[in-house]
Amino acid sequence: MEREADNYFNQGYTFYEEGKPEKALENYQEALEILKATENHDQMGNIYLEMGNSYAALKDCDKSLKMYQSCQEHYQKAKNQEGEAFALANIGVIHSHLKNYQKARDSYKKAKKKIKNDKESLREIESLLEETYQLQKKDAEKYYQKATSLQDKGQYKEALGFYKKALNLFTDKTSRGDCLLEMGNIQAALKNDDKALELYQKSQKEYHGPKDRLGEGFALANIGIIHDKNKDYEEARHYYQKALYKFKKIDDKESYNDISALMGETYEVQGAYGDALKHHEAHLEQFPAEHQPAYIHEQIDSIKDKLSQVKPTRKESLILISYLLILIGAEVVTTYTNVEVGLLLHTFILFGLLINSSLSTNYSFANVLRSMMALPMIRIVGLSIPILNIPALYWFPIISIPLFAASVVIIRAQKLTLKSVGLVWGKLPLQIMVALTGVVLGLIEYLILRPDPLIPVFNPYYLLLGSSFIIISTGLAEELLFRGIIQKNVENIMGGLMSAFYVSLLFTSLHIGWESMLDLIFVFSVSMFYGVVFYKTRSIFGITLSHGLSNSFLFLVFPFLL
């Protein structure tokens, strides 16, 4: 019986060699029918292998694949690892032909495990394995080029189909990011903003892996553009800022300029001309003096003209004056009359600011009110904390916690950058000169108040500990909130000097507790000085140190020396 099967097998192989795969298949089928009654899995594996080759010659990949799979099963039963390896390799070839490259690689890898000592076969499979990557990349690039061509012609739906095919084939993250980015561009052109946003976000993640700053910059910029279109300007600026960082890192000036212009426009649309001005001036600083673009100068001149005409409406002015007067009243009541009533007034201010900021349709005015909410909150927290038997020095870091917390919340809510709130070095020589004024200011205030020292002993340890507490808790915490955040916001509705004036009145009102009219005049003057310095330099570094040194000398040094 097996001899008869061998005869049919040999005749089939002869027909195959003569280029007659159909005749070969007839003979292989006869041999297979004879062997089905036996357990000769090895010979059946041989027959299925050749049947697979015959169907492959007829370009019938599906049937060829089934034959090779049956071949592999029989070789496995026969424990013929070499035959199983050949079957798996042929399965891989068919998958590769069908463009199922991952399945092809899986089959090749399984085949390699079956081959032990046949180095030539191992090299062939390695070559086939490497070929799948090359073929896959070639197909992906072909689909990508086709998609790009269709996109240029405005055939967006057809282009999307080819981009999806390319995306499924590309293995490197940069190419995948390119596909997703272009798919996002198409969805944006079709006004499917939600789909575009999702694709841009996926694109950004792909680019982030290999640290492709250019691609990631474009993805972030496009995310910003979608938010910009939907009038979510704070979110748009958040992504524009990230994109600018990427473009700056790779020195892509053209892209940087384009996105910087878009970012500046978001401020102007919202009427935040002060922020727009600072943004364009910072952009101008990126260029050497002799190569500064004329169009940026024109933008700055235009914004300055608009800013010079900016002033709050009558209603907004009344609201701001009212809150200032109520805040002063609350501080007077707290200091001279009744703490509980003062606490109630501060609570009233807090809820009033919350309601007014929610109802305001003016972006800049609403930001001012929201940032002012920190003032009554600080006082409410301070008055609500029970009096503990701890040294007065340690109250500074305790009270600064709500100050910092309020600042962080506002910065995140308004999506402000560290630079926009003055957390930059600025021009160091000037900042150091400003910082040194703290010694003189501390002396003047000591002569007014003559407070008791906050440290028990005048020595380096207590001086270093105390000054660290005071510089961070009063200098940094208060200047970040009052100058970096509140004054920055007020500038958008009042302009530079008026914003410093209004914020100085707010700042001074919180010093009523010292019960000294002369000190209030002094504090207001110092606050105006700090406000003007911030307005001119856009840095709180110098005024933070000045404020901190002033209080350090006031409470730690002069009480022992004078």
Side-chain angles (χ1 to χ4, degrees), residues 203-238:
S203 171
Q204 190 256 326
K205 289 179 182 177
E206 293 288 347
Y207 286 130
H208 185 72
K211 294 184 179 179
D212 182 344
R213 288 195 174 102
L214 180 63
E216 194 173 0
F218 282 124
L220 290 164
N222 281 310
I223 293 171
I225 289 170
I226 295 295
H227 286 297
D228 201 339
K229 284 173 61 180
N230 294 326
K231 298 183 179 181
D232 188 356
Y233 299 114
E234 293 90 341
E235 199 70 15
R237 284 194 289 271
H238 174 69

Side-chain angles (χ1 to χ4, degrees), residues 144 166-167 170-182 202-216:
Y144 185 86
L167 182 64
F170 275 128
T171 55
D172 66 292
K173 288 183 173 294
T174 295
S175 297
R176 289 177 58 80
D178 291 341
C179 287
L180 290 164
L181 186 70
E182 293 302 332
K202 289 180 179 179
S203 171
Q204 190 256 326
K205 289 179 182 177
E206 293 288 347
Y207 286 130
H208 185 72
K211 294 184 179 179
D212 182 344
R213 288 195 174 102
L214 180 63
E216 194 173 0

Side-chain angles (χ1 to χ4, degrees), residues 38-326:
T38 72
E39 293 293 323
N40 192 341
H41 293 293
D42 203 37
Q43 183 61 10
M44 291 179 74
N46 292 337
I47 294 172
Y48 276 117
L49 182 66
E50 293 304 329
M51 290 179 75
N53 292 340
S54 296
Y55 278 119
L58 292 170
K59 298 183 179 180
D60 191 337
C61 293
D62 291 337
K63 287 184 179 179
S64 178
L65 184 61
K66 289 179 182 178
M67 295 301 107
Y68 289 138
Q69 288 169 338
S70 296
C71 167
Q72 191 247 332
E73 290 171 5
H74 283 285
Y75 279 141
Q76 191 176 44
K77 290 177 181 178
K79 296 182 179 179
N80 182 348
Q81 289 197 331
E82 184 178 357
E84 194 176 352
F86 280 115
L88 287 165
N90 281 299
I91 290 171
V93 171
I94 297 299
H95 279 307
S96 182
H97 187 74
L98 292 172
K99 302 186 186 300
N100 298 326
Y101 297 112
Q102 188 54 54
K103 288 183 178 180
R105 286 192 283 272
D106 292 341
S107 294
Y108 291 145
K109 289 174 183 177
K110 288 178 182 178
K112 282 177 62 180
K113 291 180 181 179
K114 301 293 180 180
I115 299 172
K116 294 181 179 179
N117 300 318
D118 190 345
K119 293 183 179 179
E120 184 177 349
S121 295
L122 275 173
R123 282 195 295 271
E124 288 179 5
I125 292 175
E126 282 285 0
S127 177
L128 289 170
L129 187 61
E130 180 60 32
E131 186 182 45
T132 62
Y133 290 105
Q134 296 172 359
L135 290 172
Q136 182 170 340
K137 185 178 181 181
K138 187 176 180 180
D139 285 346
E141 289 172 346
K142 182 176 69 176
Y143 288 138
Y144 185 86
Q145 290 170 2
K146 179 66 175 177
T148 303
S149 175
L150 290 167
Q151 184 180 0
D152 291 341
K153 295 175 183 177
Q155 298 175 344
Y156 294 138
K157 291 183 180 179
E158 294 84 353
L160 277 174
F162 281 99
Y163 277 130
K164 287 177 182 177
K165 288 182 179 180
L167 182 64
N168 290 332
L169 292 177
F170 275 128
T171 55
D172 66 292
K173 288 183 173 294
T174 295
S175 297
R176 289 177 58 80
D178 291 341
C179 287
L180 290 164
L181 186 70
E182 293 302 332
M183 289 168 72
N185 290 340
I186 289 175
Q187 294 292 0
L190 294 171
K191 299 183 179 180
N192 298 325
D193 288 345
D194 290 340
K195 289 183 180 179
L197 184 61
E198 182 182 354
L199 288 164
Y200 288 142
Q201 288 169 338
K202 289 180 179 179
S203 171
Q204 190 256 326
K205 289 179 182 177
E206 293 288 347
Y207 286 130
H208 185 72
K211 294 184 179 179
D212 182 344
R213 288 195 174 102
L214 180 63
E216 194 173 0
F218 282 124
L220 290 164
N222 281 310
I223 293 171
I225 289 170
I226 295 295
H227 286 297
D228 201 339
K229 284 173 61 180
N230 294 326
K231 298 183 179 181
D232 188 356
Y233 299 114
E234 293 90 341
E235 199 70 15
R237 284 194 289 271
H238 174 69
Y239 284 100
Y240 286 152
Q241 190 64 48
K242 286 186 173 183
L244 289 175
Y245 174 79
K246 301 294 180 182
F247 292 138
K248 187 174 182 180
K249 279 288 183 181
I250 58 174
D251 198 29
D252 184 349
K253 292 184 174 64
E254 184 178 355
S255 299
Y256 185 96
N257 294 339
D258 291 342
I259 301 307
S260 184
L262 290 175
M263 187 170 174
E265 287 173 9
T266 63
Y267 287 120
E268 291 188 62
V269 169
Q270 292 183 293
Y273 297 118
D275 287 332
L277 178 62
K278 292 190 287 286
H279 173 78
H280 287 303
E281 287 176 339
H283 183 196
L284 195 63
E285 290 175 4
Q286 303 296 319
F287 300 89
E290 63 275 12
H291 297 298
Q292 291 180 344
Y295 76 91
I296 300 181
H297 281 288
E298 291 171 2
Q299 286 176 324
I300 289 173
D301 291 339
S302 173
I303 293 169
K304 283 182 176 178
D305 184 56
K306 293 175 183 177
L307 194 57
S308 67
Q309 301 173 33
V310 165
K311 59 181 180 180
T313 64
R314 180 182 176 83
K315 181 181 177 181
E316 291 169 348
S317 298
L318 288 174
I319 290 173
L320 291 175
I321 293 170
S322 297
Y323 279 119
L324 173 62
L325 294 176
I326 298 171

